[in-house]
Amino acid sequence: MEQLTPPQSENELIARASALAGRTLAELAMAHRLSLPMDLRRHKGWVGQLIEHALGASAGSRAIPDFAELGVELKTLPVDRRGLPCESTYVCTVPLEQINETWQQSWLRRKLARVLWLPIQADKEIALADRRIGSALLWSPSAAEEAMLRRDWEELTERIMLGEIEQISARFGEALQIRPKAANSRVLRHAIGADGEAILINPRGYYLRTGFTANILQQYSING
DNA sequence: AGCTGATCATAT
DNA sequence: ATATGATCAGCT
C-alpha cells in the first residue's frame, strides 16, 4: 500500500486517512518499509513522519502545508486511554523581532486554517509497535475557536513587541502558549529587549494547549 | 497527574 | 541555519 502521490482532493485525503483507522504503527511501518524505533526518545517525530509518508504528504521540511495543493496541514495527536491528548501541539515558531503582520496575515492563523487531525494511541504502557491509529478529522477553527486564538495571539504579540518576551512563560494564553523550541537551551536568537534593544534568547514556538485540542476532538465525536 | 521548560532527529 | 516532525523529563 505504497502511496507516494499527493492526494488530489480533500475527499481523497480523508479516504486515505480513514483507511488508517485501527491499524497499528508496526503494520504501517512494515507496509512502507520503515524501521520501527525502540522508543521515541531519540525519534520524537517518527510517528508524524510515518503518517506523512502513508498519506502522501510532500512538503518535507519546507515551510509550506503538508498537502500544499490542498492547503491542509497534518497533525498527529497523541492520545491517552481516555482518548484525550497527552501533549500540547506545536504550531510554528514565534516571530521575535519587529512583527508587522496582523492576525489575518499571521503564520499561526494560516497554519491552523485547515488541519487534518489524526489521533494516535500514546499510552506508555502500549508498545510503540502496537499503538493504533484513530479516526481522522478535517478541521477548521470555528468562530469561537478563532476568536480565542486571536485574543491570545494579539496579546502575546503585543507583549513581544513591547520587549516583554523574557517575562512570557508557558502560563500565558488560554488556547495558545509560548514555550522554548530549539535543539537545546544554548541556541540563541535576536529578540526585542525591555528598552527596545536587541537581546538574545532561546527560540520560542507557539503550541496549542491540550484542552483546546481535546475540545476539537470532543466536538467532532458529538456531531459525528 | 499535569505542566513547563528543554530536548532529539531529519530535511532543505 | 532554520524549518519540519514532536516527546521527554523534572518539578510542582
Side-chain angles (χ1 to χ4, degrees):
Chain A
M1 81 160 280
E2 201 74 10
Q3 310 239 32
L4 294 176
T5 60
Q8 294 303 302
S9 68
E10 285 195 345
N11 282 343
E12 186 180 351
L13 175 58
I14 291 168
R16 287 188 189 182
S18 300
L20 301 182
R23 305 195 62 195
T24 66
L25 298 182
E27 288 168 357
L28 211 55
M30 186 175 298
H32 293 279
R33 296 172 175 79
L34 297 174
S35 60
L36 189 86
M38 286 295 294
D39 58 57
L40 297 179
R41 275 181 299 189
R42 293 188 173 274
H43 302 272
K44 296 181 181 181
W46 183 83
V47 175
Q49 283 160 4
L50 173 66
I51 301 298
E52 284 182 356
H53 198 86
L55 294 179
S58 55
S61 65
R62 291 173 291 168
I64 58 174
D66 294 298
F67 302 99
E69 304 84 351
L70 306 179
V72 174
E73 189 70 25
L74 171 67
K75 288 291 180 191
T76 59
L77 196 53
V79 295
D80 64 20
R81 62 184 63 204
R82 299 165 299 181
L84 298 176
C86 304
E87 292 283 351
S88 56
T89 301
Y90 173 71
V91 181
C92 60
T93 57
V94 178
L96 297 174
E97 303 198 78
Q98 191 56 45
I99 303 164
N100 294 315
E101 63 188 15
T102 63
W103 162 250
Q104 293 294 332
Q105 303 161 331
S106 67
W107 192 359
L108 183 96
R109 180 174 174 279
R110 284 179 285 139
K111 276 260 175 185
L112 295 178
R114 198 91 176 127
V115 179
L116 183 74
W117 295 102
L118 196 50
I120 313 244
Q121 288 182 331
D123 194 310
K124 296 270 193 221
E125 292 178 17
I126 307 174
L128 183 63
D130 300 328
R131 296 182 187 177
R132 292 184 188 278
I133 298 164
S135 300
L137 58 95
L138 191 55
W139 170 86
S140 292
S142 67
E145 286 166 339
E146 176 157 352
M148 191 183 298
L149 293 166
R150 178 177 183 160
R151 279 196 301 276
D152 284 349
W153 184 88
E154 289 181 340
E155 179 171 357
L156 289 162
T157 297
E158 183 174 1
R159 289 177 178 274
I160 292 166
M161 288 190 292
L162 290 172
E164 299 173 5
I165 183 65
E166 289 178 301
Q167 282 75 55
I168 298 176
S169 76
R171 295 168 182 80
F172 286 90
E174 187 179 356
L176 290 176
Q177 60 183 172
I178 286 179
R179 305 219 306 279
K181 166 65 173 171
N184 58 63
S185 58
R186 271 80 64 191
V187 177
L188 298 176
R189 181 177 295 179
H190 290 291
I192 303 167
D195 299 313
E197 81 282 20
I199 59 171
L200 287 171
I201 63 161
N202 196 6
R204 310 298 165 99
Y206 277 118
Y207 293 79
L208 295 175
R209 294 182 177 278
T210 55
F212 187 83
T213 49
N215 276 326
I216 293 172
L217 294 183
Q218 187 184 5
Q219 282 173 35
Y220 279 77
S221 64
I222 289 170
N223 299 325

